Structures are given as C-alpha cells and as structure tokens.
Amino acid sequence: MKQERLSTRIRRRAVLEAALDCFAEADVESVSIAEICDRSGASVGSVYHHFGNKEGILLALLSDGLTAHLEALEQALEQAEGHPRACIEALIDSLIQWVEANPRWAQFIYSYLNRSGASSSEPILEINRRYKQIIEQHFEPLIQSGRLRELPTDCWSSLIVAPTHDYARRWLRQQVRHSPSTHQRLFIEAAWRIVQCD
Amino acid sequence: MKQERLSTRIRRRAVLEAALDCFAEADVESVSIAEICDRSGASVGSVYHHFGNKEGILLALLSDGLTAHLEALEQALEQAEGHPRACIEALIDSLIQWVEANPRWAQFIYSYLNRSGASSSEPILEINRRYKQIIEQHFEPLIQSGRLRELPTDCWSSLIVAPTHDYARRWLRQQVRHSPSTHQRLFIEAAWRIVQCD
Amino acid sequence: MKQERLSTRIRRRAVLEAALDCFAEADVESVSIAEICDRSGASVGSVYHHFGNKEGILLALLSDGLTAHLEALEQALEQAEGHPRACIEALIDSLIQWVEANPRWAQFIYSYLNRSGASSSEPILEINRRYKQIIEQHFEPLIQSGRLRELPTDCWSSLIVAPTHDYARRWLRQQVRHSPSTHQRLFIEAAWRIVQCD
Amino acid sequence: MKQERLSTRIRRRAVLEAALDCFAEADVESVSIAEICDRSGASVGSVYHHFGNKEGILLALLSDGLTAHLEALEQALEQAEGHPRACIEALIDSLIQWVEANPRWAQFIYSYLNRSGASSSEPILEINRRYKQIIEQHFEPLIQSGRLRELPTDCWSSLIVAPTHDYARRWLRQQVRHSPSTHQRLFIEAAWRIVQCD
DNA sequence: GATGAATGAGCATTCATTCAT
DNA sequence: CATGAATGAATGCTCATTCAT
C-alpha cells in the first residue's frame, strides 16, 4: 500500500469535490474536464496525472461513494442481528440516511448508473457483487427459515428498495418537496408488506 | 388543419424509427444526427427541416410514445370499472404490456427522463399533468370511499409503479433475464399489498 | 418590354419589402432567404422563381433604390439651372431627402456597398457610370468656366458628398440623434467651402 | 500580471497575421476559422484556446489596431502644440500615414466597423471614448478661444475626417489609383476650410 | 406560378487527451 | 507533480439552391 503524499490527497479531494458540484448542476456527459479544472483550481494536466482520464474521476467518485454506502449498510445489518423486521428497517434506513447525508454524491451515482454502458464496467460489477453478497448473507437465512417470504432474486431489489430509490431520485431532482426521511416509516412498512409471510 | 403530405409523414416516421434504433444502442447524448441520417436515409437538411433540431426529434419521440402509453392506460382503467383490484391490475398490466410491445421506445423514454433538465420541458410537464389527472380520476374515488388506502400523493408512484418500472428498466438493459410479464402477478400483488386497507 | 402580371408585381414587391425589413435589423450576409420568406409570406420556391437567387433580391433592391435616387438627383440638378451654389445645394439636398424618405433602403445600400465584391458587379458599375455622367454633365461646365474650383476627379465625391453620407450612415445606425436635415445647411455650406474658388 | 510565455505570443501573432491576410481578400463574415488555421499553421483547438471564439480574433485585431492608431494620433497632436492648423494637419496626416503603413489592418477595421452590431461592443465603445477624449482635449481649447470654428459635435468627424476616410477606403478597395498621401495637402486644406473661422 | 421537401457542403465550436517545459 | 499549449476528430446546425408535384 503506497504511502500517498499529502498534496496528492488534497488535490484529489479538491477535484472530486469540484466534480460533484458540477454533476449536481448538469448531466455527467455534459460536464467538461475544463469545468472541473476551473472549479477545483487544478490544471488539466494535474487532473490527468491523478485520474488518468475522465472516467477515472467518475470511477473514483463512484467507488468511494458506493463503498461508503455499503459499509454503512453492512454495519446497520449487523446491528439488526437477524431480526427480519429490523433487517428491512436497516436496509431502508441506511439508504435514506446516506442519500440525505450525501445528496450530491447520490445524485451523481443515480446519474452515472443510468449511462448506457455503466453496468458493464468492472468496478461497478465488483460493487454489485459485494452488494448482492451482503444482502444474501443477511436475508438468505431469514428466507430459508421461512421468516421472510421468498421472492425471485431478480425482483428483490425492484420490490424492496426501488420505491425508496425512486422517491429519493425525485427528491434530489426537486420533483417532490419532502425529504425521503419524511416518509421513512412508510417506505419501511411498504417493504415489510412485500416480504412478510402471509 | 394543414393537410400533411404523404412524403412528410413517411420521412418523419423513417427518422423517428432510425432514431429509436440508435437510442437502443447508445445514450441519447452520444447519438449524432449524422448517425440518424445514415440509418434513416434522410439528409441532415431534411431532418432539420422536419424537426428543427435534435431536441425536436427527442420530443416527437417522447410525446408520441407517452401519448400512446397514456391512451392504453386510460382505456385499461375504463374497463376496470372502478373495482379497486382491477384498477391496480390495469395500471401494472398496461405498463408491462406497453414496455414489452415497444421496448426501444420504452428504453428511450427511460433514458430521456433521466436527463438533467428533462422534467422542466413543457411537453413533459403536459404529459405529467395528464398522467396525474388520469390516476386521480380513477383512484381518488376509491380512496375517498375507503376502498383503497390513502397514501401521500408524492409517494404514490414510487410505491405502486416504481417497482415495475425498475424491473422493466433492468430488463431492457438486459440486467435481468426474464421479461416483466413473467413476474406480472407478483408486481400486481405487491402493489395490491401496498394499497389495500388493513 | 414584357407585360408583367399583376400577381408577379405584388409578389415581388412583398418580397423586396420584407427583405428591406430584414436588412434593417441585420447585416445583408446574415439574413437568410428563409427569413425573407417568413416575413413576406412567399415560399422559397416563389422567391427563387422571381429573383433567381439571393443576389437577385439584392440587385433588384439596389438598382430600384439607386435608380430612384439618381432620378431625384437629376431632376434637382436640372432645376438648379447651372447656378454653382444651387447645384451643390441640389446635390446635398436630394441626398438627404432621399435618405430620410427611405431609411431602410438607404441603410441597405450602404450595407451592400460595403461588401467585398460589391463594386465589381455589372449593375453597380452601370449605376456608378450613370452617376458620374450626371455629375459631370452638370458640374464639368461650371469647372471649365472657372465658376467652381477644379478638384482631382477621384477626390470629388470624398470631399463633397462623403461628409453627408457619413453623417447619414451614422444617423441610420442611431449613433447620432439628429437627422441629417437638421444639419442640412451646414453640409451644404461645407461642400460649398470646398468647391468655391478662392 | 502573469508572465506570458513566448510561445503564446508567437502563436497569437501568427494567427492574427493570418487573419489579416484572409480579411484582405474577403469579407470578415466569409472567412472561416479553418482558413485562418491553414494560413497560420495553428490548429483549430489552438486558435480557440487563445481567442475564445471568432469574435475574439476580431476584437484582438481591432483593439490592437485602433490602439496603435490612437497612439500615433495622440503623439502627432502633442507635437502640434496647440497650433490650429498644425492640429488639423496632425489629424489628417496621422490618419493617412497609418492607413498606408497598415493597409490590411485598415481595411479590416473599416470592414469590421460596418458590421451591424459593431458599435455596441464594449471594446469599441471604449476606443471610441478614448478617441473622443483625445480630440476634445486638443481641439476644445482652440474652439473655446475662437481660433477654430465651432461645429456641432456630432458633425465634427463627418466634416473633418470622413473625406479622408472615404478616400482611404476607396483606395484600399482599389477603386481609386492614387494613394491617399497623393492628395494629402488637399484633404488637409479641405478640412482647414471647414474649421477655420471666417 | 407556387409550394416546400430535399440536399449537402460548410461553419463555428467543443472537448478529451497528450506532452513539452 | 504541475502547467497549459496543442491537437483534431466530432458535433449540431445553417443556408443557398434545386426540383418534383
């Protein structure tokens, strides 16, 4: 693990910070390196030195963001200690908390994942794998033991977390007024209605 | 009402058709007019003659598509004749049917709506208004009469249709194997679980 | 002399009128045929039928305008009956009168004559020749007889009419407030100071 | 004050030089960036890097040119030391000298100033202000003291320098054979006739 | 005569990326 | 590590002109 210089860390942070600001105002595709340079005070050369290319910035942002999110999720699920309802709560809560704590970041990620080839890049696949693994690790036992309803794997996220994601996305775009946490109980309860056994 | 020449209609159709093909393979932003021209056999000038600019193509595609969808939805809801469960079924069914019947179109629309300024353009707002109106017209009475649970307006679509949309989107991107209709009953039942009164 | 249909005359007039309006607002080069069509209500095809090409419109406008101007000038000079001072007055007066009576036209002509190849087109040369001829016809005798000062031919217009033209041009561009006629006596007197014998 | 790299200065100069060449052969509007690139050896990107856009090239050319001209004028007027006749001579002489020393530049400027919106751009206004100021500074006292005739401000340039400008313009367009300096005495004398008191 | 669809060369401009200093 | 000049392919769009109906 190479020791990173302080100046390197600062510079990287400044660029990523500036990039997030840009992405909050425009689509990923329509933000130019030049804009990011202007905002961050870095020169073009410097940006390329640190990130290789534009995609490098995006991936750095993406994996930092998702990693943070995943860790929060994992921690929350640990604390749920295998109680079905608590697990669902952990899932939704950590999602809402993260989005509200990192709105620019969240918006960028939603935006990035909508890009055509997004899901085929290795870092994304890697994150996806880790996400699936975490989910499986905590929910599989509950399903096996009959304490949660079994759902087709492919549908799981659409049924359980998509509603919250959808609302969050609309909130970030200012299409709805109230923050996701306003309706936190509702989203949890909705998810619960789906997964609970009859 | 000016009589439109036959050639005009044919040309427009060819361009829109070609555009849909392009958008199926790449992001809206990264499809060039030149590509659409190549595919459609139209010249650049001709495209601009008929659509004004790139956005003109997108909007034509979008409003044609959404209008068709809305009409299908409206018709389906009429036939549900105010039966709560039938209304929910109509909602989900017409959505799935339309997506599967018009995959390229659906993909384009999902893609378009994710663009940064998408929701502020007048044609979109207009369609949104009509959508809301249709939903309200059919569901409001059911809620008032206590036959369906009341949900915060802003959350409605996130809770009821977002799961199906999410799955459809993933299917169009080939992230899941089975078509939405495979899980049609599941999505209906999930929606039903959310809206039914306790 | 071919008998022109009424509809032809009307259509031509409408187009020229619209063109003048356009040229009042933008440079000749940056006015498109499409704009002229929009303003005149004529179709592209119609415009081309009547004028051949864009230059055709310009030349029609130009020669109509200059011809009218020349005729006014000629008439004014006739009435001066060879009195030196009266001839100078006729020259300046008819210029100012025409510009103020036809501001859009004047502006167009000034604009047209500034174009790179303007002075080499045959119709322009023809008009120039006629102008020179008129001037010579009325002023040559006065110079020969020693009643007006002799000036190098090439300098004549620069010294005698350029000041008025310059002011008129600035007035048309709204760079000066008062109309040329406000300073009519001044311009005449200035010209007179130049041409009168010591 | 950032130290400009040598290469920057050289590149800028090359582009401006090439642009002047182009403008000597065709109207400003009909010279393409591509042509300027070809002639200057610069790439498109480089041109945009240094000038921002086409207008940027024009403005650089214009303000460099006019500034140089103004400085020459100012110096000439200083040397006239408040002698009325000498001031008029300085005015006309420096004009003629500059035009003959910088024919391409002069032609460009005449061409540029004829454009529709030319007089409203800030740099132009700025130069105009400075020009007026210089003129006023040197001529106002002479007028106040009754040694030069008072003329309406708006007419001043039309009466005093427009003749020379007009001739210069025609010479640059090769509409007259002899250079302005051929008639230098005449233009001075003409101006003198206008401004001298009776 | 009138219409407007079609053409396609041409243009200004953008932008990710490279690389010499 | 930093800088910013340089590159040039690519893009959206304009416009005079032609021509079938």
Side-chain angles (χ1 to χ4, degrees):
Chain A
M1 201 172 297
K2 200 165 64 189
Q3 178 58 39
E4 204 176 51
R5 291 202 201 172
L6 178 60
S7 65
T8 288
R9 195 161 24 240
I10 291 175
R11 178 47 43 100
R12 281 181 61 97
R13 229 175 248 293
V15 170
L16 294 178
E17 213 41 49
L20 273 188
D21 282 346
C22 293
F23 297 145
E25 293 165 13
D27 282 322
V28 165
E29 321 280 324
S30 57
V31 169
S32 71
I33 297 286
E35 270 173 70
I36 296 174
C37 289
D38 283 355
R39 287 231 206 190
S40 65
S43 64
V44 209
S46 192
V47 166
Y48 274 84
H49 178 74
H50 289 295
F51 297 95
N53 56 23
K54 192 177 178 181
E55 196 66 18
I57 303 177
L58 305 187
L59 288 179
L61 229 33
L62 195 73
S63 70
D64 282 8
L66 289 180
T67 299
H69 183 186
L70 279 197
E71 275 162 14
L73 172 63
E74 201 159 14
Q75 209 175 349
L77 282 173
E78 301 291 352
Q79 293 179 351
E81 291 177 343
H83 296 301
R85 172 82 190 205
C87 284
I88 290 296
E89 283 181 6
L91 193 61
I92 305 290
D93 285 355
S94 67
L95 168 56
I96 288 180
Q97 259 177 50
W98 193 80
V99 168
E100 295 192 8
N102 307 278
R104 291 176 314 164
W105 220 338
Q107 187 153 37
F108 160 69
I109 291 174
Y110 283 135
S111 169
Y112 184 92
L113 294 179
N114 278 323
R115 301 196 328 161
S116 180
S119 44
S120 54
S121 74
E122 185 45 42
I124 307 278
L125 294 175
E126 167 60 21
I127 298 270
N128 264 342
R129 254 175 267 133
R130 246 189 89 199
Y131 180 74
K132 267 195 172 165
Q133 189 188 327
I134 293 174
I135 295 296
E136 272 171 23
Q137 180 188 339
H138 288 87
F139 287 94
E140 196 61 27
L142 295 174
I143 293 166
Q144 297 298 343
S145 65
R147 299 203 285 164
L148 284 182
R149 184 157 74 123
E150 181 165 17
L151 294 167
T153 331
D154 284 345
C155 299
W156 168 272
S157 70
S158 294
L159 290 166
I160 309 305
V161 287
T164 307
H165 277 304
D166 183 74
Y167 190 88
R169 207 152 28 210
R170 293 200 289 140
W171 176 65
L172 290 167
R173 284 187 197 155
Q174 311 189 336
Q175 290 168 16
V176 293
R177 185 171 314 163
H178 302 296
S179 71
S181 55
T182 312
H183 303 298
Q184 193 151 356
R185 306 311 311 163
L186 178 56
F187 287 118
I188 290 171
E189 194 233 325
W192 184 246
R193 284 191 181 212
I194 307 296
V195 294
Q196 76 183 316
C197 300
D198 328 274
Chain B
M1 197 174 299
K2 204 159 61 186
Q3 178 59 38
E4 202 178 53
R5 295 202 193 174
L6 178 61
S7 66
T8 288
R9 196 162 21 239
I10 292 175
R11 180 42 47 99
R12 279 181 64 97
R13 229 177 249 293
V15 170
L16 294 178
E17 207 54 37
L20 273 188
D21 282 348
C22 294
F23 297 146
E25 293 166 13
D27 280 322
V28 164
E29 324 279 22
S30 56
V31 169
S32 72
I33 297 288
E35 271 173 67
I36 297 176
C37 288
D38 283 355
R39 286 228 207 193
S40 66
S43 66
V44 207
S46 192
V47 166
Y48 277 86
H49 179 70
H50 290 295
F51 297 95
N53 55 26
K54 192 176 179 181
E55 194 68 18
I57 303 178
L58 305 186
L59 286 179
L61 229 32
L62 194 74
S63 72
D64 283 8
L66 288 180
T67 300
H69 184 187
L70 278 198
E71 274 161 17
L73 171 62
E74 201 159 17
Q75 210 175 347
L77 281 173
E78 301 292 351
Q79 292 178 352
E81 291 178 345
H83 296 302
R85 173 80 190 207
C87 283
I88 291 295
E89 284 180 5
L91 193 60
I92 306 290
D93 284 356
S94 66
L95 169 56
I96 289 180
Q97 259 176 50
W98 194 81
V99 168
E100 295 192 7
N102 307 277
R104 290 176 314 164
W105 220 339
Q107 186 154 36
F108 161 70
I109 290 174
Y110 283 134
S111 168
Y112 184 93
L113 294 179
N114 276 326
R115 299 191 338 155
S116 179
S119 43
S120 52
S121 75
E122 186 44 43
I124 308 277
L125 294 174
E126 168 59 21
I127 297 270
N128 265 341
R129 258 176 264 133
R130 246 189 90 198
Y131 180 74
K132 267 197 173 166
Q133 189 189 326
I134 293 173
I135 295 296
E136 272 171 24
Q137 180 189 337
H138 289 87
F139 288 93
E140 195 62 28
L142 297 174
I143 293 167
Q144 296 297 345
S145 64
R147 298 202 286 164
L148 284 183
R149 182 156 75 120
E150 182 165 17
L151 294 167
T153 329
D154 283 346
C155 300
W156 167 273
S157 69
S158 293
L159 291 167
I160 310 305
V161 287
T164 308
H165 277 305
D166 184 73
Y167 190 87
R169 206 152 31 211
R170 293 200 289 139
W171 175 65
L172 290 166
R173 285 188 196 156
Q174 311 189 336
Q175 290 168 16
V176 293
R177 186 171 313 163
H178 302 296
S179 71
S181 54
T182 311
H183 305 296
Q184 191 151 357
R185 306 312 309 165
L186 178 57
F187 287 117
I188 289 172
E189 194 232 325
W192 183 245
R193 286 191 179 210
I194 308 295
V195 294
Q196 76 183 319
C197 300
D198 326 275
Chain C
M1 201 169 298
K2 201 163 63 189
Q3 179 59 38
E4 206 176 49
R5 290 203 199 171
L6 178 61
S7 66
T8 289
R9 196 161 23 239
I10 292 175
R11 176 49 40 104
R12 280 181 63 96
R13 230 176 246 294
V15 170
L16 294 178
E17 215 37 53
L20 273 188
D21 282 347
C22 293
F23 297 145
E25 292 165 15
D27 282 322
V28 165
E29 320 280 325
S30 57
V31 169
S32 71
I33 297 287
E35 269 173 69
I36 298 175
C37 289
D38 283 355
R39 286 231 206 193
S40 65
S43 65
V44 209
S46 192
V47 166
Y48 274 85
H49 179 73
H50 289 296
F51 296 95
N53 56 25
K54 190 178 179 181
E55 196 67 19
I57 303 178
L58 305 187
L59 288 179
L61 229 33
L62 196 74
S63 70
D64 283 8
L66 289 181
T67 300
H69 184 187
L70 280 197
E71 274 162 16
L73 172 62
E74 200 160 15
Q75 209 175 348
L77 281 174
E78 300 291 352
Q79 292 180 351
E81 292 177 342
H83 296 302
R85 173 81 190 204
C87 284
I88 291 296
E89 285 181 4
L91 194 60
I92 307 290
D93 284 356
S94 67
L95 169 56
I96 288 180
Q97 258 175 50
W98 194 81
V99 168
E100 295 192 6
N102 306 277
R104 289 176 316 165
W105 220 339
Q107 187 154 36
F108 160 69
I109 291 174
Y110 284 134
S111 169
Y112 184 92
L113 294 179
N114 277 323
R115 301 195 330 160
S116 180
S119 44
S120 52
S121 75
E122 186 45 42
I124 307 276
L125 293 174
E126 167 60 21
I127 297 270
N128 264 341
R129 257 176 264 133
R130 245 188 89 197
Y131 180 73
K132 267 197 171 164
Q133 190 188 327
I134 293 172
I135 295 296
E136 271 171 23
Q137 180 189 336
H138 288 87
F139 287 94
E140 197 61 27
L142 296 174
I143 293 167
Q144 296 298 344
S145 63
R147 298 203 287 163
L148 284 182
R149 183 155 73 122
E150 181 164 17
L151 295 166
T153 329
D154 283 347
C155 299
W156 167 271
S157 70
S158 294
L159 291 167
I160 310 306
V161 289
T164 308
H165 277 306
D166 184 73
Y167 190 88
R169 206 153 29 211
R170 293 200 290 139
W171 176 65
L172 290 166
R173 286 188 196 155
Q174 311 189 337
Q175 290 170 15
V176 294
R177 185 171 315 165
H178 301 295
S179 71
S181 54
T182 311
H183 304 298
Q184 193 151 358
R185 306 311 310 164
L186 178 57
F187 287 118
I188 289 171
E189 194 232 325
W192 183 245
R193 286 189 180 212
I194 308 295
V195 294
Q196 75 183 317
C197 300
D198 327 273
Chain D
M1 198 173 302
K2 202 161 60 187
Q3 179 58 39
E4 200 179 56
R5 295 201 192 174
L6 178 61
S7 65
T8 289
R9 196 160 24 238
I10 290 175
R11 182 41 47 100
R12 280 182 63 98
R13 229 175 249 295
V15 170
L16 294 178
E17 206 55 36
L20 273 188
D21 282 348
C22 293
F23 297 147
E25 293 165 14
D27 281 322
V28 165
E29 323 280 24
S30 56
V31 169
S32 72
I33 297 287
E35 272 173 66
I36 297 175
C37 289
D38 283 354
R39 286 227 207 193
S40 65
S43 66
V44 207
S46 192
V47 167
Y48 277 85
H49 179 71
H50 290 294
F51 297 96
N53 56 25
K54 192 177 177 181
E55 194 68 19
I57 304 178
L58 304 187
L59 286 179
L61 230 32
L62 194 74
S63 72
D64 283 7
L66 288 180
T67 300
H69 183 186
L70 278 197
E71 274 162 15
L73 171 63
E74 200 159 17
Q75 209 174 348
L77 281 173
E78 301 291 352
Q79 293 179 351
E81 291 178 343
H83 296 301
R85 173 80 191 206
C87 283
I88 291 294
E89 283 180 7
L91 193 61
I92 306 290
D93 285 356
S94 67
L95 169 56
I96 289 180
Q97 259 175 51
W98 195 81
V99 169
E100 295 192 7
N102 307 278
R104 292 176 314 165
W105 220 338
Q107 185 153 38
F108 161 70
I109 291 174
Y110 283 135
S111 167
Y112 185 92
L113 294 178
N114 277 325
R115 299 192 337 158
S116 180
S119 43
S120 53
S121 75
E122 185 44 43
I124 308 276
L125 293 175
E126 167 60 21
I127 297 270
N128 265 341
R129 256 176 264 133
R130 244 189 91 198
Y131 180 73
K132 267 197 172 164
Q133 189 188 325
I134 293 174
I135 295 295
E136 271 172 24
Q137 180 188 337
H138 288 87
F139 288 94
E140 196 62 27
L142 297 174
I143 293 167
Q144 298 296 346
S145 64
R147 298 203 286 163
L148 284 183
R149 183 155 75 119
E150 182 164 18
L151 294 166
T153 329
D154 283 347
C155 298
W156 167 272
S157 70
S158 293
L159 290 167
I160 309 307
V161 288
T164 307
H165 277 305
D166 184 74
Y167 190 87
R169 206 151 33 210
R170 292 201 289 138
W171 176 65
L172 290 166
R173 286 187 196 156
Q174 310 189 338
Q175 290 169 16
V176 294
R177 186 170 313 163
H178 302 295
S179 72
S181 55
T182 311
H183 302 298
Q184 192 151 358
R185 304 314 308 164
L186 178 56
F187 286 117
I188 290 171
E189 195 233 323
W192 184 245
R193 285 190 180 213
I194 307 297
V195 294
Q196 76 182 320
C197 299
D198 325 273

